[in-house]
Amino acid sequence: MRVHGHSNGSALAGVELPGNHVGFLVDSGCGISSGGREGGVDPMIKGDGGVLEPVKIRLRRWEGSLEESAAGLKVRDMVRIQSLYRRIAERNGGVTSGLQDDKEKVRLKTLSGDFDAPLPSDLLEVPGHGAGRLMATLASGVSLGSGEYFMDVFIGTPPKHFSLILDTGSDLNWIQCIPCHDCFKQNGPYYDPKDSSSYRNISCHDPHCRLVSSPDPQRPCKEENPSCPYFYWYGDHSNTTGDFAFETFTVNLTSSNGVSEYRRVENVMFGCGHWNRGLFQGAAGLLGLGRGPLSFSSQLQSIYGHSFSYCLVDRNSDSSVSSKLIFGEDKDLLSHPNINFTSFVPVKESPVDTFYYVQVKSILVGGEQLDIPKETWKFGSDGSGGTIIDSGATLSYFVEPAYKIIRDAFLRQIKNYPLVKDIDILNPCYNISGVENVDMPEFTILFEDGAVWDFPAENYFISLVPNELVCLAILGTPRTAMSMIGNYQQQNFHILYDTKRSRLGYAPTSCADV
């Protein structure tokens, strides 16, 4: 593959090799620069100590109906759960990759100095230096039959528009690339690296190549084609394979005073996928927000620090309102009178360092603490169990026997509405025809550290037929899998991922007003 641009080595955003840099450039006004530094201002160079000003990225929202695709969303979620568990099982079974090689060390340079660090855990501990914000608005994918959220990104120089799925359950950023030998259908054309002057292949000799898994069998590093091949899978039929590379990502933003501008993120590591299969309806690729060093959020740590947050609006709200994704510390969120925090399970104790695990203690339904066996919430020796907070799953899932106990509690407590027994998608379902104010038992998650998460009924009951039929938006998984809190249950909560303090924050918020 042709290599574009010039390189004096390889750079990792958030971690820097000597002689390289990764940073942001800002173009004022509403147009996008065709490339280069002319007219750009490095926002890290400020007279007030180098912090970035809060900004907001402007993206479009797609219209659609979640009710029409509930069955498809359930299938997608189930495939996702199986793939996430498979990833855990294979990791625990001894599958090796560059991320697991603790013998190899790379001489790294951060903004605070040099250090010798094993890959990958120490990469997550690099001190953050950013105190500003970058805010993006997110699009719901329900019109495409997807329960996921999409972010518009402009990739390359000159920048071209692509919609990427946001996923806190994976790390690699990737996009379908020409030549596309085996690709799924997407909205718009595929990305062509030959059209971008800022595209640079990562060499298979580059230390960063060890951050990705190689195809099996592993390809030899040939001088005539020294690119770094990668293979990343999500399930039996979902995967991406291609070349690991650097590229400039451009995001559309709006500052606090409403002025539109574009910000370029240089030297983002990403996968240029030539073979891609899976349930990625409409999207051009994926933007990873997991805990690993390859994710977009981890690569921004040197600029925006170790936290990001999002606020997801009601899926059935007006198309003029948008969900938001914020990189950096959000002072309004941290000062919210009703913000709560629960600790992430430490990375060293987690089966896989990608996922954001939280430690559930119990569940309350209608104020009643359910008698769920304590061992239900713990990790098994094979990596099973545990609970993750996940933007990529739509509904929420709890392993047996927790799910059965939760479902039975609702069945026992709901007496005011007729039970509808002919619905196979979700269970239980109720006929609420003619009811103006639907009253459902409260649903609460208790965490091991004492934190409490109370949800409004619209976050755990989904309307399959407006004003007529509602169903519990919680399903079960085999005990050998994991539990997950999906994005439907997170609606109208401002969710904070703070990896420096290893905690999850959540505050009830009208997300349309963020």
Side-chain angles (χ1 to χ4, degrees):
M1 177 174 292
R2 180 182 175 186
V3 180
H4 296 264
H6 301 281
S7 171
N8 59 345
S10 297
L12 167 63
V15 180
E16 189 175 272
L17 291 176
N20 291 274
H21 72 279
V22 175
F24 280 82
L25 295 175
V26 175
D27 294 315
S28 300
C30 299
I32 304 179
S33 169
S34 61
R37 294 183 179 275
E38 291 75 18
V41 178
D42 190 340
M44 295 185 67
I45 304 175
K46 298 280 186 178
D48 56 1
V51 299
L52 294 171
E53 295 296 327
V55 292
K56 179 189 297 183
I57 301 173
R58 300 292 300 172
L59 304 175
R60 58 193 172 85
R61 173 180 170 83
W62 291 337
E63 300 180 23
S65 171
L66 180 61
E67 295 80 19
E68 296 174 355
S69 55
L73 297 178
K74 178 180 176 181
V75 171
R76 289 171 58 85
D77 280 352
M78 288 300 185
V79 171
R80 179 177 178 80
I81 292 169
Q82 292 172 4
S83 69
L84 295 185
Y85 176 66
R86 177 173 173 239
R87 195 183 308 173
I88 294 172
E90 293 199 0
R91 177 69 64 87
N92 289 340
V95 176
T96 59
S97 71
L99 288 176
Q100 293 173 290
D101 190 355
D102 59 0
K103 296 180 181 180
E104 295 289 344
K105 293 188 176 182
V106 182
R107 184 72 176 176
L108 302 172
K109 179 181 179 182
T110 69
L111 295 177
S112 59
D114 294 334
F115 67 99
D116 286 309
L119 300 175
S121 58
D122 283 11
L123 291 177
L124 300 175
E125 299 168 2
V126 179
H129 295 268
R133 282 197 314 161
L134 180 70
M135 181 184 290
T137 55
L138 310 179
S140 171
V142 292
S143 65
L144 302 177
S146 171
E148 294 153 327
Y149 285 82
F150 294 73
M151 176 173 169
D152 284 346
V153 177
F154 300 87
I155 299 177
T157 305
K160 295 184 178 180
H161 166 259
F162 300 93
S163 291
L164 306 182
I165 295 172
L166 265 71
D167 186 10
T168 59
S170 63
D171 295 325
L172 182 68
N173 312 299
W174 62 270
I175 188 171
Q176 297 200 109
C177 286
I178 292 176
C180 250
H181 302 298
D182 185 7
C183 293
F184 53 85
K185 185 179 180 180
Q186 71 177 53
N187 288 348
Y190 299 132
Y191 164 83
D192 190 346
K194 292 181 179 180
D195 292 339
S196 174
S197 62
S198 53
Y199 176 88
R200 292 185 293 121
N201 272 327
I202 293 176
S203 166
C204 58
H205 299 291
D206 193 306
H208 294 98
C209 189
R210 292 197 294 271
L211 292 173
V212 291
S213 296
S214 299
D216 187 17
Q218 186 171 353
R219 301 172 187 172
C221 192
K222 298 180 180 180
E223 292 300 327
E224 63 270 19
N225 184 25
S227 64
C228 173
Y230 77 89
F231 173 68
Y232 200 94
W233 53 265
Y234 300 87
D236 293 337
H237 302 289
S238 299
N239 55 72
T240 175
T241 303
D243 294 305
F244 199 38
F246 292 117
E247 183 56 286
T248 295
F249 283 42
T250 303
V251 287
N252 183 14
L253 56 92
T254 301
S255 61
S256 56
N257 61 5
V259 177
S260 295
E261 56 190 17
Y262 287 83
R263 176 154 291 164
R264 299 198 301 275
V265 191
E266 296 185 326
N267 294 329
V268 174
M269 293 185 295
F270 83 115
C272 186
H274 305 297
W275 295 267
N276 314 287
R277 292 185 177 182
L279 302 173
F280 305 106
Q281 289 174 288
L286 189 143
L287 199 71
L289 296 177
R291 297 180 78 173
L294 290 181
S295 74
F296 196 68
S297 52
S298 294
Q299 292 193 56
L300 296 188
Q301 284 181 359
S302 67
I303 300 174
Y304 287 107
H306 289 246
S307 67
F308 70 91
S309 62
Y310 54 69
C311 204
L312 307 179
V313 300
D314 184 336
R315 289 176 178 275
N316 295 319
S317 61
D318 188 87
S319 60
S320 63
V321 297
S322 303
S323 301
K324 309 299 189 301
L325 171 68
I326 301 168
F327 291 104
E329 187 174 277
D330 188 290
K331 295 180 180 179
D332 292 336
L333 173 58
L334 293 176
S335 62
H336 194 291
N338 296 317
I339 190 171
N340 287 276
F341 296 97
T342 188
S343 299
F344 289 131
V345 174
V347 172
K348 293 181 180 179
E349 298 177 19
S350 301
V352 174
D353 56 12
T354 296
F355 307 139
Y356 296 95
Y357 280 96
V358 290
Q359 187 58 63
V360 174
K361 180 180 181 180
S362 189
I363 300 291
L364 274 72
V365 173
E368 172 192 349
Q369 185 166 337
L370 305 183
D371 187 18
I372 299 173
K374 191 173 182 179
E375 59 269 18
T376 304
W377 307 112
K378 293 185 177 180
F379 299 119
S381 58
D382 60 350
S384 62
T387 304
I388 66 172
I389 179 87
D390 186 18
S391 70
T394 305
L395 307 179
S396 291
Y397 295 81
F398 294 96
V399 298
E400 297 286 0
Y403 166 67
K404 184 178 184 299
I405 295 173
I406 293 169
R407 182 197 63 195
D408 290 349
F410 279 105
L411 283 168
R412 185 174 62 253
Q413 294 188 29
I414 299 176
K415 303 296 184 182
N416 298 333
Y417 314 113
L419 182 65
V420 180
K421 298 182 179 180
D422 297 330
I423 306 298
D424 296 327
I425 303 171
L426 300 169
N427 185 346
C429 295
Y430 295 93
N431 185 341
I432 58 166
S433 298
V435 180
E436 185 173 347
N437 297 311
V438 179
D439 185 20
M440 292 296 186
E442 296 177 349
F443 180 78
T444 301
I445 297 178
L446 299 180
F447 295 101
E448 192 66 44
D449 55 11
V452 177
W453 197 347
D454 294 308
F455 298 90
E458 56 267 25
N459 283 39
Y460 53 92
F461 270 91
I462 186 172
S463 175
L464 292 190
V465 180
N467 304 316
E468 292 185 18
L469 180 67
V470 296
C471 298
L472 183 65
I474 295 173
L475 289 169
T477 62
R479 192 164 184 168
T480 54
M482 63 175 69
S483 298
M484 58 177 60
I485 303 170
N487 61 52
Y488 192 84
Q489 201 157 359
Q490 299 173 41
Q491 293 176 112
N492 281 322
F493 279 92
H494 199 157
I495 311 292
L496 169 67
Y497 294 77
D498 184 346
T499 57
K500 184 175 183 179
R501 297 175 178 85
S502 190
R503 62 181 183 173
L504 175 77
Y506 48 93
T509 305
S510 175
C511 292
D513 298 330
V514 173

